[in-house]
């Protein structure tokens, strides 16, 4: 009789499947264990037994010449594949992966990408295929190839068994009954059911030809490995695969037939390493095709199955509800121990009513909602991330060889005491402290190589410029970023410097160069900063785009302000700011004529940033010339209206023109002008604050008079501009403006000028004007 391997059909990341598999391996005691997965991971298996390997973890496979072309194979502690590896290593049995190589799947990804790009260039729509194999999705996350199918095999089985959907069916029969069963009998039943269902699915046209070909090729590789193992080992051979594949692996094919179907597949060179993974990326909500709804719940189930104490469903329910109560208390809600006990009892009661031996996730949720949250879904939603998804990120043992950048990243994490966490968190850094400056340098360098673990939300908070506020959120995908950055160097510092210089040489325009200069300096990369400064100076000489020049000044001024916290080439930077600002001041008025709408919008935005930066820079001559240009632009009939509106607003805010001058200029811009130009002027003038109109009734009633003079068509045409202008006003500001208009014009009280004769106010006035950036 022909020998056959024992096929164990599992669900990836299923704790019940993992518990059954462990029992089956103990009963079978195989001589060899084969696992669905890319064979390039064989060399990594031995590391799984190291004490420092703490799931969730993933094997990372990436193209040697293009690290962005990568795929992960994730494992949780409750993943059957992980349990199979641990069993084989602990029993000193050979174990290896048998799926098609990552070299093939990544080559196909590259081909698909090239075909899609070619189609786009020809204006032909090319939709990449999608593989949606819920039950038997390989743990690798290869680029997908076939469109979604309508007939899910689990849904078909669920319908036959009287369940509402395949998820509920599989959880009820397998995942929540992972202990106390005869494992070999259960796996035999799974094999029979899934083989029949697969045949029915194929006969009913429930799978596309492209996907069928893909799965046939994968299974041809698997059958080849199984034949080889049966020849090499006299004892039993255990094969751990997604349950859907069992029917294909049992198919009677010849060696020649299997070789024929895979002989023309393209391969590329692939590197493999271990990488930390996370609960969030194990969840189905992350987009992972083989993901589970609740990694946190599955981990709790696994604790029941893997515990040697066998505490039973009572303790199982109590521990979960106690954790629910603790998380609710962390969020500030009342959740007593008595309520947690009541929730556990209710969950057990619901499970009994529904014919379950152990409460499922639905029973636990219903019980918590009733007893701990008193029917308030919001409370449960507040802890959903921590409780149901989980916030664990895996750890790699120090003995495991890693990519140089990944190793350097870990050294930096230990040095800065920053721990990767998937849940977003805020970190406030004081750059005057060595620890704060070190963390800031690390995070800035990571940003330069495209790893945005931290995003700077506020570099100006607190006192002066000594403080940074970062928003941190780690994603396992950033491991691919570390692999990609290897082309720049073997350490974070080397890679960040080389990447900055390369981007500087390829930069188009001086604003990006200015940002790179700032990025290099705050990341403590003086050589890269020097190269970018030279490139910026060279580009500025040949640049006549005023908007581009203004956009370059603002980040440079912010750099200079960091001079007290970091070692910077202040003299060179100050000279560069003065040179750029002189060019801006000389060309701003002529350059603000005949601009289209997009250019105008960009110009006003750049003027706002430039004006603020120049005030911070503190060069009196540059500031005086800039304000003179603002006045000239107000009287320039050819300047575009939004530029005029912004210029007049700044003259008003700085107190450089008196009320009569402002009112006269405002009147000239709206009365008798074309409505479109007048509306654009008003929009730019009013942008940002209602106080201008609340405090200055002359301007308020000039606008009122202009609006009242528009006919219906012109009013409708200007309405969008007015809506945008008033959009920034808060409710209180709008209400006060309406009250002012309803009250009509009023004479200014004579006492209003009395403050000018207040000696205390006069003594404080110079300091107040200095703080506000106004001329003394």
């Amino acid at each position: 009789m022909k020998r056959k391997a024992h096929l164990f059909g599992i669900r990836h990341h299923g704790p019940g499947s993992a518990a059954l598999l462990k029992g089956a391996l103990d009963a079978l005691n195989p001589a060899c264990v084969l696992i669905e997965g890319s064979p390039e991971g064989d060399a990594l298996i031995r590391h799984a037994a190291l004490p420092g390997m703490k799931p969730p973890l993933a094997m990372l496979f990436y193209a040697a010449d293009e690290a962005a072309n990568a795929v992960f194979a994730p494992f949780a502690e409750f993943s059957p594949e992980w349990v199979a590896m641990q069993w084989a290593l602990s029993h000193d049995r050979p174990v290896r992966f048998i799926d098609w190589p990552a070299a093939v799947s990544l080559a196909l990804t590259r081909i698909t990408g090239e075909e899609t790009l070619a189609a786009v260039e020809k204006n032909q729509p090319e939709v990449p295929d999608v593989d949606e194999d819920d039950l038997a999705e390989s743990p690798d996350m290869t680029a997908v190839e076939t469109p979604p199918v309508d007939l899910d095999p689990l849904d078909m089985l669920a319908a036959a068994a009287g369940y509402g959907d395949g998820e509920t069916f599989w959880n009820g029969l397998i995942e929540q009954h992972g202990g106390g069963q005869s494992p070999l009998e259960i796996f035999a039943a799974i094999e029979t059911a899934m083989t029949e269902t697969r045949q029915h699915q194929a006969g009913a046209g429930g799978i596309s030809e492209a996907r069928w070909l893909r799965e046939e090729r994968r299974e041809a590789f698997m059958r080849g490995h199984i034949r080889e193992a049966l020849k090499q080992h006299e004892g039993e051979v255990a094969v751990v695969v997604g349950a859907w594949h069992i029917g294909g692996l049992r198919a009677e094919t010849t060696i020649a037939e299997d070789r024929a179907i895979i002989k023309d597949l393209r391969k590329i060179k692939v590197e493999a390493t271990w990488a930390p993974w996370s609960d969030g990326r194990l969840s189905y909500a992350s987009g992972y095709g083989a993901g589970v709804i609740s990694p946190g719940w599955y981990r709790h189930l696994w604790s029941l199955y893997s515990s040697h104490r066998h505490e039973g469903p009572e303790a199982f329910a109590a521990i979960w509800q106690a954790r629910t109560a603790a998380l609710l208390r962390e969020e500030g809600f009342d959740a007593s121990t008595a309520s947690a006990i009541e929730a556990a009892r209710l969950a057990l009661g619901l499970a009994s009513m529904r014919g379950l031996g152990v409460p499922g996730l639905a029973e636990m949720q219903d019980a918590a909602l009733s007893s701990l949250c008193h029917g308030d879904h919001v409370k449960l939603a507040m802890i959903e991330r921590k409780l149901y998804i989980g916030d664990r990120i895996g750890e790699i043992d120090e003995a495991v060889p890693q990519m140089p950048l990944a190793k350097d990243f870990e050294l930096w994490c230990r040095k800065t005491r920053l721990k990767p966490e998937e849940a977003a968190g805020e970190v406030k850094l004081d750059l005057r402290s060595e620890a704060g400056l070190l963390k800031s340098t690390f995070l800035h360098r990571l940003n330069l190589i495209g790893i945005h673990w931290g995003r700077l939300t506020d570099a100006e908070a607190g006192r002066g410029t000594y403080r940074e506020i970062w928003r941190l959120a780690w994603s396992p995908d950033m491991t691919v970023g570390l692999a990609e950055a290897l082309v720049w160097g073997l350490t974070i510092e080397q890679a960040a410097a080389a990447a900055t210089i390369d981007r500087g040489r390829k930069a188009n325009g001086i604003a990006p160069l200015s940002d790179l200069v700032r990025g290099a300096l705050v990341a403590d990369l003086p050589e890269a900063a020097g190269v970018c400064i030279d490139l910026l100076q060279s580009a500025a000489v040949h640049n006549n785009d005023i908007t581009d020049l203004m956009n370059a000044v603002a980040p440079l001024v912010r750099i200079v302000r960091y001079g007290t916290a970091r070692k910077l080439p202040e003299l060179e930077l100050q000279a560069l700011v003065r040179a750029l600002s002189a060019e801006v001041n000389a060309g701003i008025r002529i350059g603000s004529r005949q601009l289209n709408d997009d250019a105008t919008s960009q110009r006003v935005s750049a003027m706002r940033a430039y004006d603020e930066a120049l005030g911070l820079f503190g060069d009196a001559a540059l500031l005086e010339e800039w304000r003179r240009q603002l006045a000239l632009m107000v009287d320039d009939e050819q300047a575009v209206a939004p530029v005029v509106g912004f210029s007049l607003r700044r003259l008003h805010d700085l107190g450089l023109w008196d009320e009569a001058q402002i009112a006269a200029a405002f009147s000239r811009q709206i009365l008798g002008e074309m409505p479109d130009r007048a509306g654009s002027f008003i929009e730019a003038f009013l942008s940002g604050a209602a106080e201008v109109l609340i405090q200055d009734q002359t301007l308020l009633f000039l606008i009122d008079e202009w609006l009242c003079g528009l006919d219906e068509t012109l009013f409708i045409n200007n309405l969008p501009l007015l809506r945008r202008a008033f959009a920034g006003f808060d409710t209180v500001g709008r209400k006060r403006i309406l009250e002012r208009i309803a009250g009509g014009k009023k004479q200014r009280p004579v006492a209003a000028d009395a403050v000018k004769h207040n000696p205390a106010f006069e003594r404080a006035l110079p300091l107040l004007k200095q703080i506000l950036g106004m001329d003394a």
Side-chain angles (χ1 to χ4, degrees):
M1 183 176 178
K2 184 178 179 182
R3 285 178 65 208
K4 291 186 177 181
H6 292 264
L7 303 184
F8 298 131
I10 51 88
R11 180 177 187 176
H12 303 294
H13 316 305
S17 295
L20 283 170
L21 177 62
K22 187 177 185 302
L25 292 174
D26 287 336
L28 185 65
N29 194 23
C32 173
V33 177
L34 307 180
I35 304 172
E36 179 185 334
S38 300
E40 290 91 343
D42 286 351
L44 304 178
I45 293 177
R46 59 188 176 88
H47 301 134
L50 294 174
M53 299 291 279
K54 299 178 181 179
L57 299 170
M59 290 180 180
L60 167 62
F61 307 101
Y62 60 95
D65 60 346
E66 184 189 2
N69 186 13
V71 61
F72 289 97
F75 305 95
E77 66 269 37
F78 48 79
S79 299
E81 297 89 348
W82 179 263
V83 171
M85 282 190 281
Q86 296 291 338
W87 188 94
L89 292 170
S90 65
H91 289 76
D92 196 24
R93 305 295 161 79
V95 53
R96 62 177 185 265
F97 292 116
I98 61 171
D99 203 348
W100 63 355
V104 172
S105 62
L106 293 178
L108 288 175
T109 301
R110 180 176 292 176
I111 292 171
T112 302
E114 291 170 352
E115 291 174 349
T116 302
L117 179 61
V120 170
E121 291 174 348
K122 295 179 181 179
N123 295 320
Q124 296 175 353
E126 177 76 18
V127 181
D129 294 328
V130 179
D131 175 18
E132 193 167 293
D133 188 355
D134 258 351
L135 176 62
E137 175 71 27
S138 171
D140 76 52
M141 295 172 63
T142 53
V144 288
E145 293 186 2
T146 58
V149 296
D150 295 328
L151 298 179
D152 184 279
L154 277 185
D155 287 342
M156 296 166 64
L157 283 174
Y163 284 81
D165 58 82
E167 182 81 17
T168 304
F169 165 74
W170 185 268
N171 280 334
L173 291 184
I174 304 298
E175 304 307 340
Q176 289 177 205
H177 290 279
Q181 304 180 59
S182 173
L184 294 177
E185 292 180 4
I186 293 296
F187 279 119
I190 291 173
E191 178 174 342
T192 300
M194 291 306 300
T195 301
E196 290 295 327
T197 306
R198 172 170 166 150
Q199 292 176 355
H200 180 72
Q201 182 189 27
I207 184 168
S208 68
E209 291 184 9
R211 179 184 164 194
W212 190 260
L213 176 60
R214 177 181 186 269
E215 301 307 334
E216 279 192 328
R217 285 171 167 172
R218 291 180 60 192
E219 289 161 0
F221 277 104
M222 294 187 205
R223 287 191 293 266
H225 285 288
I226 293 171
R227 291 190 189 101
E228 184 179 344
L230 288 170
K231 289 180 181 178
Q232 292 177 348
H233 302 281
E234 294 182 359
E236 303 292 351
V237 173
V239 183
V240 181
V241 294
W244 190 85
H245 289 292
I246 292 179
L249 298 184
R250 289 298 189 203
E252 294 292 337
T253 61
T254 65
I255 296 175
E257 289 172 339
D258 285 343
R259 287 178 177 174
I261 198 172
I262 63 176
K263 69 175 182 179
D264 294 327
L265 289 176
R266 177 182 169 188
K267 294 183 180 180
I268 60 175
K269 186 177 180 182
V270 168
E271 302 288 347
T273 185
W274 281 105
W277 203 245
S278 69
D279 285 344
R281 294 309 299 265
L282 277 174
S283 70
Y284 186 76
S286 70
Y288 174 29
V292 296
I293 293 176
S294 176
W297 169 250
Y298 271 11
R299 179 172 291 114
H300 187 59
L301 270 178
W302 178 242
S303 70
L304 172 67
Y305 301 148
S306 59
S307 173
H308 298 295
R309 292 180 293 179
H310 303 291
E311 294 173 326
E314 292 79 9
F316 174 75
I319 292 171
W320 179 262
Q321 297 300 350
R323 185 181 176 203
T324 304
L327 290 174
L328 285 169
R329 287 194 293 270
E330 287 180 9
E331 295 295 333
F333 299 117
D334 291 332
S336 67
T337 302
S339 296
I341 294 172
E342 187 62 31
R345 289 173 177 168
L346 180 56
L348 291 167
L350 289 172
S352 178
M353 292 173 59
R354 296 169 182 175
L356 301 173
V358 176
L361 181 59
E363 288 71 41
M364 292 293 199
Q365 284 179 315
D366 291 345
L369 182 62
S370 175
S371 299
L372 287 167
C373 300
H374 309 293
D376 189 347
H377 289 269
V378 174
K379 292 182 180 180
L380 206 56
M382 291 289 288
I383 63 170
E384 183 176 7
R385 172 79 189 184
K386 290 183 179 179
L387 184 63
Y388 299 124
I389 302 299
D391 54 7
R392 185 176 300 183
I393 291 182
E395 298 179 13
I396 307 294
D397 192 278
E398 293 183 1
V400 176
Q402 294 186 66
M403 296 178 296
L405 273 180
K407 197 71 175 177
D408 192 48
F409 174 82
E410 287 191 358
L411 291 174
W412 270 99
C413 286
R414 287 198 292 269
K415 188 163 52 174
T416 58
R417 296 184 179 179
L418 289 174
K419 185 178 180 180
E421 294 180 349
E422 197 170 38
E426 192 174 82
V427 175
K428 297 178 181 179
L429 304 180
D430 186 342
L431 303 183
R432 293 169 294 184
S433 71
E434 183 179 349
L437 191 57
L438 195 65
K439 291 176 182 177
S440 174
T441 299
F442 178 38
L443 294 171
H444 279 296
R445 287 178 178 177
L446 287 177
N447 279 335
L448 288 174
I449 59 176
I451 300 174
H452 301 289
W453 176 16
R455 296 186 182 274
L456 195 60
T457 59
D458 188 358
E460 307 290 337
R463 303 182 185 91
T465 57
Y466 293 105
R467 192 177 182 187
E468 290 180 344
I469 300 177
W470 292 82
R471 188 78 170 168
L472 302 184
W474 176 258
S475 168
D477 288 346
M478 294 176 186
T479 306
V480 176
L482 291 172
E484 291 182 273
L486 278 171
V487 298
W488 307 118
L490 301 181
T491 67
I492 300 294
E493 181 178 2
Q494 290 176 358
T500 301
I501 292 172
D502 183 73
R503 286 212 302 272
R505 288 171 176 160
K506 296 176 181 177
N508 183 19
I510 64 173
L513 277 169
S514 180
D515 287 332
L516 285 173
V517 170
R518 179 179 184 276
L521 288 171
V522 297
D524 193 21
L525 302 171
E527 293 184 8
V531 172
C532 289
I533 288 174
D534 292 341
L535 292 170
L536 179 55
Q537 289 174 328
S538 176
V541 171
H542 304 94
N543 192 296
N544 56 4
D545 188 327
I546 300 300
T547 299
D548 210 11
L549 290 170
M550 284 193 290
N551 283 332
V553 170
L556 289 175
V557 169
R558 288 198 295 272
I559 294 171
V560 175
R561 295 193 70 195
Y562 272 99
T564 53
R566 306 174 192 265
K567 294 180 181 179
L568 304 175
E570 291 187 52
L571 294 179
E572 292 88 340
L573 290 174
Q574 289 175 359
L576 186 56
V577 169
R578 290 189 178 96
L580 293 175
S581 300
E583 291 291 330
V584 170
N585 290 345
I588 184 67
R589 183 166 65 90
I590 302 300
S592 295
R593 300 171 178 173
Q594 298 180 342
L595 299 176
N596 60 33
D597 290 343
D598 288 341
T600 298
S601 176
Q602 294 173 13
R603 173 62 55 84
V604 172
S605 178
M607 288 175 69
R608 186 171 287 110
Y610 175 77
D611 178 83
E612 180 183 356
L614 214 56
L616 295 173
F617 188 60
D619 187 298
L622 288 174
L623 203 56
E624 180 181 356
E625 177 59 22
W626 167 246
R627 291 171 178 175
R628 191 177 76 85
Q629 292 298 325
L630 291 177
L632 291 174
M633 283 187 287
V634 170
D635 292 327
D636 190 335
E637 295 181 355
Q638 298 181 58
V640 292
V643 168
V644 176
F646 171 80
S647 301
L648 185 61
R649 172 67 181 274
R650 288 306 294 150
L651 295 172
H652 176 277
D653 290 347
L654 295 169
L656 298 176
W657 281 12
D658 59 29
E659 184 177 301
Q661 287 177 291
I662 295 292
F666 194 93
S667 179
R668 289 197 302 272
Q669 295 299 326
I670 63 172
L671 300 179
E673 283 288 349
M674 295 295 293
D676 288 347
R677 178 179 173 86
S680 298
F681 165 81
I682 291 174
E683 179 188 6
F685 183 87
L686 296 180
S687 177
E691 289 299 319
V692 175
L693 296 183
I694 294 171
Q695 302 299 331
D696 197 328
Q697 70 167 350
T698 302
L699 298 183
L700 177 62
F701 283 97
L702 276 171
I703 295 176
D704 185 51
E705 180 182 353
W706 174 71
L707 282 173
C708 292
L710 297 176
D711 60 32
E712 183 178 357
T713 301
L714 292 176
F715 178 81
I716 292 173
N717 289 341
N718 278 275
L719 194 56
L721 297 171
L722 295 170
R723 287 177 65 95
R724 287 201 302 268
F726 286 90
F729 296 1
D730 58 24
T731 304
V732 175
R734 296 178 188 182
K735 183 178 180 181
R736 291 178 66 189
I737 290 173
L738 289 175
E739 290 173 350
R740 279 295 183 94
I741 294 174
K745 288 186 179 181
K746 297 180 180 178
Q747 294 294 324
R748 182 188 300 270
V750 177
D753 293 332
V755 71
K756 294 181 181 180
H757 306 294
N758 186 319
F761 181 79
E762 289 179 354
R763 287 195 299 273
L765 190 58
L767 178 59
L768 181 62
K769 287 188 173 183
Q770 184 178 353
I771 293 172
L772 296 175
M774 300 169 61
D775 291 337

